[in-house]
């Protein structure tokens, strides 16, 4: 979660520190900007080498050369993807019931890395696991702390000069973000600095959202995902957008787009999120994906959580494959573009509100089959929750009608199970 309150603040000047949300918690990620820039840093020269779509794609198509060190940037030619699980080891992020966003982001990051690493076109870096920063980043922060601080200040001053000279127009904000404690903010800047220095092509920050104003045991009002990309005036914005669009297309087939005003377009430009290059700092195509709201039932339920998270990772992976190569995307998605399928249904599903992977797979099968979401509903009305509720029962009725199944109203009985297993139980 990184935003909280949606407010249109017309006069928000690029760079004025964001007001901390009264909902507290974490999230900042917002550039603090001008206050830290000093005249002494006027001499800081910012070299910017933003990636173009052609740059990144040429890596994918060039022959693979194995290199011994990540520092051999002159000859490495795999696509470098940096995955950043949101928040820090043991600190920050949304919490709901016993769930912690900072652990969910690691799980999704590891799932995504696992898919990508099967493809030799990619070289994947993940900044941390559930306990620690990876050794590369722990060392980098330790050895470069002052450099990161100076670089941030220089970047802030540079953008301030560009605004005062009229080459950058201060953007208006539509989604508010909380402010990060400075050490957290500097580590985020440090990750971007490292990515620039190590020729990273694509950076993906992984988060789960939270909505303001709900109780500790009461789910909030919003559901769905959103992808944040850099504001359009930033050098890495255009490339980020092209990559984000292919990921958006995959995610939106199975998952609702955020219902929050300001996120409902699905892909949201933002000038102030440090993660994706506040102050125009990032070279890589960069995005921050809010994969859904932490209190959504498919995450809350331990029986469906791992599958739901893995599926989000899989669709992100397929979106990247789409960006690079449609034939490769088709090959890896095979018959199914969800890890929920194929699935073998072994027992009758009859209890209303049953929640498990059988129901999650059922919802996925009904979606692929064309019955889900039913009638005029959409995925915001009928998300794949893994729960047998009215949306699924209605879609199931349509499915049973299509396959001439009777006597199994509102349940997955023997005959329905047989058709499901025949059509969606086989791996191709
Ligand atoms: Zn977050």
């Amino acid at each position: 979660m990184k935003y909280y309150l949606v407010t249109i603040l017309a006069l928000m000047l690029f760079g004025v520190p964001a007001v901390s949300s009264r909902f507290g918690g974490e999230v900042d990620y917002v550039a603090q900007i001008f206050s830290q820039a000093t005249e002494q840093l006027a001499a800081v020269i910012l070299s910017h080498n933003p990636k173009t779509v052609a740059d990144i794609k040429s890596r994918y198509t060039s022959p693979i050369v194995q290199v011994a060190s990540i520092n051999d940037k002159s000859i490495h030619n795999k696509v470098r993807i940096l995955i950043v699980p949101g928040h820090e080891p043991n600190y920050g992020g949304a919490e709901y019931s016993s769930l912690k966003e900072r652990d969910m982001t690691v799980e999704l990051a590891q799932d995504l890395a696992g898919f990508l690493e099967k493809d030799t076109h990619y070289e994947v870096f993940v900044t941390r696991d559930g306990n620690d920063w990876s050794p590369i980043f722990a060392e980098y922060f330790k050895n470069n702390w002052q450099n990161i601080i100076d670089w941030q200040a220089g970047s802030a001053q540079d953008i301030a000069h560009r605004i005062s000279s009229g080459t950058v127009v201060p953007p208006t904000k539509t989604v508010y973000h909380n402010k990060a404690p400075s050490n957290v903010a500097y580590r985020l800047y440090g990750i971007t600095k490292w990515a620039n220095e190590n020729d990273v092509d694509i950076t993906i920050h992984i988060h789960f959202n939270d909505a303001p104003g709900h109780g500790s045991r009461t789910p909030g009002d919003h559901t769905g995902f959103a992808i944040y990309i850099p504001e359009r005036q930033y050098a890495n914005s255009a490339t980020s957008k092209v990559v984000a669009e292919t990921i958006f297309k995959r995610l939106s087939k199975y998952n609702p787009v955020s219902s929050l005003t300001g996120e409902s377009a699905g892909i949201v430009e933002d000038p102030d999120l440090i993660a994706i290059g506040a102050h125009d700092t990032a070279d890589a195509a960069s995005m921050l994906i809010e994969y859904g709201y932490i209190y959504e039932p498919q995450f809350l339920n331990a029986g469906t959580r791992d599958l739901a998270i893995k599926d989000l990772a899989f669709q992100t992976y397929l979106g990247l494959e789409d960006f690079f190569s449609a034939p490769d995307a088709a090959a890896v998605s095979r018959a199914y573009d969800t890890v929920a399928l194929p699935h073998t249904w072994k027992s009758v599903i009859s209890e209303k509100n049953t929640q498990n992977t059988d129901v999650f797979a059922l919802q996925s099968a009904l979606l692929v089959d064309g019955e889900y979401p039913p009638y005029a509903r959409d995925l915001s009305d009928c998300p794949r929750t893994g729960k047998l509720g009215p949306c699924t029962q209605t879609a199931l009725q349509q499915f049973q009608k299509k396959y001439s199944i009777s006597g199994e109203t509102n349940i997955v009985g023997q005959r329905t199970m047989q058709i499901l297993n025949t059509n969606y139980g086989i791996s191709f």
Side-chain angles (χ1 to χ4, degrees), residues 250 253-254 311 314-315 318 333-339 368:
R250 288 288 184 172
K253 176 174 175 183
Y254 287 99
D311 210 28
F314 188 58
Q315 282 134 25
L318 293 182
S333 61
R334 301 187 308 277
Y336 301 116
D337 50 8
T338 167
V339 293
V368 173

Side-chain angles (χ1 to χ4, degrees), residues 1 26 87 101 207-208:
M1 91 180 140
E26 55 135 347
H87 307 287
E101 179 195 0
H207 285 261
F208 289 85

Side-chain angles (χ1 to χ4, degrees), residues 1-2 26-27 29 86-87 92-94 101 105 206-209 288 290:
M1 91 180 140
K2 115 220 112 332
E26 55 135 347
V27 200
Y29 303 133
H87 307 287
E101 179 195 0
T105 60
I206 294 170
H207 285 261
F208 289 85
N209 227 326
L288 185 155
E290 295 278 4

Side-chain angles (χ1 to χ4, degrees), residues 108 117 182 297 334 368:
L108 201 156
E117 281 163 353
S182 64
R334 301 187 308 277
V368 173

